[in-house]
Amino acid sequence: MPFRSKATLETWLEEFHRSREAGDLIRVAVQDGSEGADTGLVIVPLHNADISLYMEPIEVGDSRWRVTIEPQAEMTVLTSFEMQRLAAELSVAAELCAFLEAKSVGHEEG
């Protein structure tokens, strides 16, 4: 069954950084899965909005990933320039999600 440990995700994230030269603040946090398994959780900090964004596999055995944007307490008001910078950050997050899905296809944790 495909599984991605924190160590595996960190290796994939390093590969993404080298190929894309973006998302330097993105990191992998420990996430306990079933039976205490280390499944990893990808945290994507955003400079241009006060929201939390993270990504994780949809479920064990599935190569698809989901992105969760947590709600915030206050409204975000942006200028056009700030909105463009936020859009660029979200674009990097979308590219990373697609990258992780591609790496997950057929992956078997050793």
Side-chain angles (χ1 to χ4, degrees):
M1 202 179 282
F3 174 75
R4 304 114 185 132
S5 68
K6 182 177 185 288
T8 296
L9 292 176
E10 287 173 339
T11 300
W12 291 356
L13 189 53
E14 287 175 23
E15 183 180 339
F16 178 79
H17 287 308
R18 284 192 310 270
S19 66
R20 179 68 172 78
E21 296 184 11
D24 293 339
L25 297 178
I26 298 170
R27 67 186 189 287
V28 180
V30 172
Q31 179 183 22
D32 293 331
S34 61
E35 299 175 15
D38 166 23
T39 62
L41 180 71
V42 179
I43 310 294
V44 182
L46 300 174
H47 291 291
N48 295 289
D50 292 328
I51 57 174
S52 298
L53 188 147
Y54 61 89
M55 41 186 90
E56 61 188 332
I58 289 177
E59 62 183 39
V60 175
D62 193 334
S63 62
R64 296 174 301 153
W65 284 64
R66 68 174 157 230
V67 177
T68 301
I69 301 173
E70 293 186 334
Q72 60 185 19
E74 297 181 25
M75 290 189 327
T76 299
V77 179
L78 304 171
T79 65
S80 62
F81 179 72
E82 292 167 329
M83 184 65 187
Q84 288 173 340
R85 290 186 358 208
L86 177 58
E89 289 181 309
L90 294 174
S91 179
V92 169
E95 288 178 37
L96 176 59
C97 190
F99 177 84
L100 293 171
E101 287 179 336
K103 297 295 282 187
S104 295
V105 172
H107 173 75
E108 292 288 334
E109 194 75 20

